[in-house]
Amino acid sequence: MSERLPCQTPGCSATILPTTALKTGGICMPCHQKKLALEKETYILQNRKDVDRYAGIIDPVEILKIMHTPRKYNLLENDLPYHKSAQELYHQLTEAERKRK
């Protein structure tokens, strides 16, 4: 059986196989996964941008259409909410706007 090596992360008492040490740079897999998760989180925080889907749109019907359109989740985009709720917009619609699709 191979001799196990200590994890190189300060404060970690785990031991790892030499093959794992070669793959991860001398740290145990839990520490390696924590490091990767932290790097991913840091990247997301540095590159996330706010997206205002309602910028420049004043037509309440169009705003409601945008509100009800499903969007695919993107970690790097922060969707800004509209300043009114859909319920408030529905209450403000005129008869002509209610008939529009």
Side-chain angles (χ1 to χ4, degrees):
M1 188 165 148
S2 297
E3 184 178 323
R4 296 178 72 88
L5 306 170
C7 175
Q8 299 298 313
T9 304
C12 182
S13 60
T15 59
I16 56 176
L17 295 172
T19 54
T20 303
L22 288 174
K23 289 179 187 176
T24 63
I27 59 176
C28 66
M29 201 50 81
C31 290
H32 181 68
Q33 290 172 346
K34 283 180 192 174
K35 178 184 167 194
L36 292 177
L38 182 61
E39 288 172 357
K40 180 180 179 180
E41 183 179 336
T42 302
Y43 177 82
I44 289 169
L45 289 175
Q46 290 174 347
N47 294 291
R48 181 175 268 179
K49 51 188 169 176
D50 291 338
V51 177
D52 186 1
R53 299 185 293 158
Y54 310 103
I57 301 173
I58 57 171
D59 181 19
V61 175
E62 290 302 317
I63 293 169
L64 286 166
K65 285 180 183 180
I66 292 170
M67 282 182 172
H68 293 299
T69 301
R71 289 193 30 110
K72 192 171 187 178
Y73 182 69
N74 185 345
L75 285 172
L76 297 177
E77 291 181 354
N78 180 35
D79 280 336
L80 298 176
Y82 191 66
H83 63 277
K84 292 183 180 179
S85 69
Q87 184 177 10
E88 289 174 303
L89 287 171
Y90 278 118
H91 285 295
Q92 293 176 352
L93 290 177
T94 64
E95 192 62 38
E97 288 173 333
R98 287 186 189 132
K99 292 179 182 177
R100 285 181 42 207
K101 291 184 181 185

